[in-house]
């Protein structure tokens, strides 16, 4: 999520799909591939950057010389931790198709409540050229929404305080959020405290 929100400092695509064609020599390159990638129970994702469930329903097919992924990876109850807020993804899908081998195509909706703003996000398209649409209630511009999600501050939230004071206050909240994520596996709910 973070590479979608924060502009890429390096020119070029955020992600480039690997090219596997031509890596396997003949006659093995002509061998057919048909590998199903599923899991009986969703994978539980738990970490400092995100938590939630991931369920793959993929097939690696084609030939060994030109394989491709086909199918969908389902996301459920995912939480992505940004420096100033937690983004909730109730469900989302990441597709793989033969037309764009190994290129994830996103269809993910997310939401968060931060600093009195209800923010909705929609990420879609191939990861190499993805789009992110954001809106909020009360309304903010796209630039102010990016600023809000990455710092926890709005332009009006900085009025009356120097940038250093605002950053120091926000730094404390970010530190508390980091501590809360470390204590969650122990059964301690620090998010409400933060």
């Amino acid at each position: 999520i973070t590479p979608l929100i924060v502009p890429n400092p390096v020119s070029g695509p955020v992600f480039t799909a690997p090219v596997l064609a031509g890596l396997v020599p003949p006659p093995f390159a002509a061998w057919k591939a048909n590998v199903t990638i599923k899991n009986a129970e969703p994978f539980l994702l738990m970490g400092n950057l995100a938590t939630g469930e991931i369920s793959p329903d993929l097939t690696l097919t084609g030939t060994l010389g030109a394989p491709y992924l086909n199918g969908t990876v389902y996301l459920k109850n995912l939480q992505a931790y940004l420096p100033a807020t937690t983004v909730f993804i109730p469900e989302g899908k990441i597709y793989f198709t033969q037309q764009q081998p190994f290129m994830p195509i996103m269809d993910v909706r997310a939401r968060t409540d931060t600093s009195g703003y209800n923010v909705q996000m929609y990420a879609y398209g191939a990861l190499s050229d993805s789009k992110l649409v954001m809106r909020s209630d009360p309304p903010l511009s796209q630039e102010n929404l990016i600023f809000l999600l990455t710092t926890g501050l709005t332009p009006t939230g900085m009025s009356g305080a120097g940038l250093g004071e605002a950053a120091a206050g926000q730094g404390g909240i970010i530190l508390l959020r980091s501590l809360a994520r470390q204590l969650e596996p122990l059964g301690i709910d620090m998010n409400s405290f933060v």
Side-chain angles (χ1 to χ4, degrees):
I1 289 179
T2 305
L4 294 175
I5 293 175
V6 180
N8 186 10
V10 180
S11 62
V14 173
F15 176 79
T16 304
V19 178
L20 302 178
L23 295 179
V24 178
F28 308 110
W31 288 8
K32 296 205 182 288
N34 188 5
V35 179
T36 300
I37 304 166
K38 285 188 174 191
N39 206 39
E41 297 292 322
F43 292 105
L44 294 180
L45 178 65
M46 298 185 72
N48 290 339
L49 301 177
T51 61
E53 297 178 2
I54 300 173
S55 299
D57 187 5
L58 299 169
T59 303
L60 179 65
T61 191
T63 63
L64 292 181
Y68 63 90
L69 271 178
N70 199 18
T72 305
V73 176
Y74 299 93
L75 310 174
K76 187 173 180 184
N77 298 325
L78 200 68
Q79 295 181 22
Y81 303 112
L82 297 177
T85 190
T86 301
V87 176
F88 299 96
I89 302 169
E91 58 185 23
K93 297 175 184 170
I94 301 172
Y95 301 97
F96 291 88
T97 64
Q98 181 179 359
Q99 292 75 26
Q100 294 181 301
F102 301 102
M103 176 59 69
I105 302 169
M106 297 183 302
D107 182 7
V108 179
R109 296 174 195 273
R111 63 176 173 75
T112 187
D113 289 307
T114 185
S115 301
Y117 290 87
N118 179 305
V119 181
Q120 296 91 36
M121 295 165 267
Y122 178 46
Y124 63 96
L127 192 55
S128 61
D129 186 32
S130 58
K131 308 287 187 265
L132 178 67
V133 177
M134 296 186 291
R135 62 177 291 278
S136 68
D137 185 26
L140 282 176
S141 69
Q142 295 286 305
E143 293 80 16
N144 286 343
L145 281 171
I146 291 170
F147 191 72
L148 174 68
L149 293 174
T150 55
T151 67
L153 300 171
T154 61
T156 57
M158 287 178 37
S159 63
L163 183 59
E165 292 169 326
Q170 192 56 35
I173 290 176
I174 291 170
L175 181 62
L176 282 174
R177 284 189 184 279
S178 177
L179 175 64
R181 286 196 297 274
Q182 298 297 323
L183 295 176
E184 277 178 4
L186 302 174
I188 301 170
D189 182 18
M190 295 281 294
N191 273 332
S192 59
F193 173 74
V194 173

